[in-house]
Amino acid sequence: MFSKILIANRGEIALRIMRACKELGISTVAIHSTADSDAMHVKLADESVCVGPPAAAESYLNIPQILAACEITGADAVHPGYGFLSENARFAEILQAHGVAFIGPTAEHISVMGDKIEAKKTAERLGIPVVPGSDGAVLNDNDGRRIAREIGYPVLVKAAAGGGGRGMKVARSADEIDDALATARAEALAAFGNDALYIEKYLGEPRHIEVQVLGDGKGGAIHLGERDCSLQRRHQKIWEEAPSPALNAQQRARIGDVVVKAMQGLGYAGAGTVEFLYENGEFYFIEMNTRLQVEHPVTEMVTGIDLVNEQIRIASGSPLTFAQEDITLEGCAIECRINAENPRTFMPSPGKISYYHPPGGLGVRVDSGVYQGYVIPPYYDSLIGKLIVHGRSRVETMMRLRRCLDEFVVDGIQTTIPLFRELVDNQDIANGMYSIRWLEDFLATA
Ligand code: MV4
């Protein structure tokens, strides 16, 4: 087992990872920018190293500085959290070359899943159902037109280097395909320096359902059920829940089984998430995330399993703590992302938290990196915390969530809490009847 872990992240996720380290008896090193000297993750770590100025490119993404911090402190492993360097294959490789373990999958698996065309080919080869579409990259505009005609309109043009919705264009008919290809290609080149495109049948109103997996890197893998992350705005999830209100036990077992077999075939190591669009009772693979995700706590609440603890054990070469038959899903968990933003416009709202009172009680978890008197810097993601509520049924969880939102006080800045107070009282949300389009429609009309 590792003796000292450097956490290459900030905010609530850095705290989350430190808690797992502490329970394993592992000492912790925080890194921080000059803007984060007063951040909670620095206060809670055993040691801390300043790695650069406020801009993430020069601090939290600064590989030479992070390597130096490992060397200075004698850290034997790095946990990257989410975002920043978490899906950077080169970072994983460089660490290993310097004798520091990367707490995550192999650089090879990060790299394969980072290329959405490679990821889709790999998924298909491993028996995962994919969205009907081009067989690999579109060669040129002629090829694109032919493929779109064969798939049948509407189609979606996607960037191989994309993800998170960037470089995507819908073509509703043959009239729109040339424009979609040209625009997507230009956007992909500008954003990623890679203009490779692929085409898929466009699904109109799917749900976003993702399956959590753990692999031991030796052909062993288990799944921990799914999360429904359909409630999002501009590809930013705001509400996630487990289990999905749209699935029954048979559907869950079927997709879980497919994903586990694929991860066993891949020899996947660590925590991963296989993302699907779900429409008319069918699952279609879109992407795989090779990191711990923001919304991992809802899975922890319904399974009772500490995913970060498992990640650390796996990276140190230990076997999985659980077999598939040990995994049972208990009740329902919902996560609300508390962002320092205007709850209507989503404009960032950094500044001083003049008063802070988080909710508590049975089935309540608040993962946050802030405290009363803390000044939220303007340089980073606006996520300041997550409210995760667990109950025996979805109805109980919703009642508890409403109570927690009433109890939660964050003064001095704007937050998304008032939006969640609306959602928890909405009939569609109460019924679990929502697709990936629901929130944007709601915001446009409410
Ligand atoms: C799609 C789709 C509809 N049809 N693919 C958006 C981000 C990227 N990860 C995949 N995305 C989508 N792919 C086909 N063939 C709709 C989306 C999509 C979406 C997916 C998941 C969650 C939210 C979304 C919001 C808009 C579009």
Side-chain angles (χ1 to χ4, degrees), residues 131 156 158 163-165 168 200-204 206 208 229-230 232 235 275 277 286-287 436 440:
V131 190
L156 191 56
K158 294 185 173 183
M168 275 185 8
E200 289 183 342
K201 181 81 188 171
Y202 176 64
L203 305 179
H208 173 121
C229 309
S230 302
Q232 54 78 45
H235 305 288
E275 294 190 343
L277 297 179
I286 44 171
E287 291 174 20
I436 62 170
E440 288 183 57

Side-chain angles (χ1 to χ4, degrees), residues 78-81 85-96 100-114 212-218 263 266-273 288-293 310-312 314-316:
V78 170
H79 196 306
L85 296 166
S86 61
E87 290 176 297
N88 186 315
R90 194 169 54 90
F91 181 56
E93 232 157 39
I94 291 171
L95 286 177
Q96 302 291 3
V100 179
F102 175 78
I103 301 175
T106 61
E108 175 61 21
H109 286 159
I110 296 172
S111 174
V112 166
M113 296 306 170
Q212 176 70 54
V213 295
L214 286 173
D216 65 4
K218 295 159 192 151
M263 292 304 112
L266 197 58
Y268 188 76
T273 301
M288 178 170 182
N289 300 319
T290 54
R291 61 170 189 278
L292 181 70
Q293 293 199 246
E310 293 301 318
Q311 285 189 295
I312 295 169
I314 294 164
S316 77

Side-chain angles (χ1 to χ4, degrees), residues 2 4-7 70 74-79 95 99-103 315:
F2 306 122
K4 192 184 276 191
I5 293 177
L6 181 143
I7 295 126
C70 290
D76 46 10
V78 170
H79 196 306
L95 286 177
V100 179
F102 175 78
I103 301 175

Side-chain angles (χ1 to χ4, degrees), residues 226 243-255 278 283 329:
E226 81 288 357
S244 169
L247 297 191
N248 62 35
Q250 286 89 333
Q251 292 165 309
R252 175 168 308 112
R254 179 166 64 90
I255 196 63
Y278 178 75
F283 289 94
L329 303 182

Side-chain angles (χ1 to χ4, degrees), residues 363-378:
V364 180
R365 169 173 173 184
V366 179
D367 277 18
S368 148
V370 304
Y371 54 88
Q372 189 164 309
Y374 176 66
V375 181
I376 299 158

Side-chain angles (χ1 to χ4, degrees), residues 160-241:
R166 290 186 302 172
M168 275 185 8
K169 286 286 165 260
V170 182
R172 298 189 182 278
S173 71
D175 298 344
E176 295 178 3
I177 189 66
D178 286 4
D179 204 44
L181 287 164
T183 313
R185 207 178 280 288
E187 267 185 34
L189 190 61
F192 318 113
N194 171 357
D195 72 352
L197 301 177
Y198 63 112
I199 306 182
E200 289 183 342
K201 181 81 188 171
Y202 176 64
L203 305 179
E205 232 174 316
R207 297 180 79 112
H208 173 121
I209 295 178
E210 55 184 35
V211 177
Q212 176 70 54
V213 295
L214 286 173
D216 65 4
K218 295 159 192 151
I222 58 170
H223 77 88
L224 290 90
E226 81 288 357
R227 298 182 285 261
D228 197 313
C229 309
S230 302
L231 287 175
Q232 54 78 45
R233 174 187 175 268
R234 299 192 185 169
H235 305 288
Q236 295 295 318
K237 297 166 184 167
I238 66 149
W239 163 303
E240 304 97 348
E241 56 182 298

Side-chain angles (χ1 to χ4, degrees), residues 322-340:
F322 304 93
Q324 191 65 57
E325 55 269 26
D326 301 326
I327 310 298
T328 53
L329 303 182
E330 208 66 65
C332 164
I334 296 174
E335 172 179 282
C336 295
R337 294 195 189 190
I338 314 299
N339 293 340

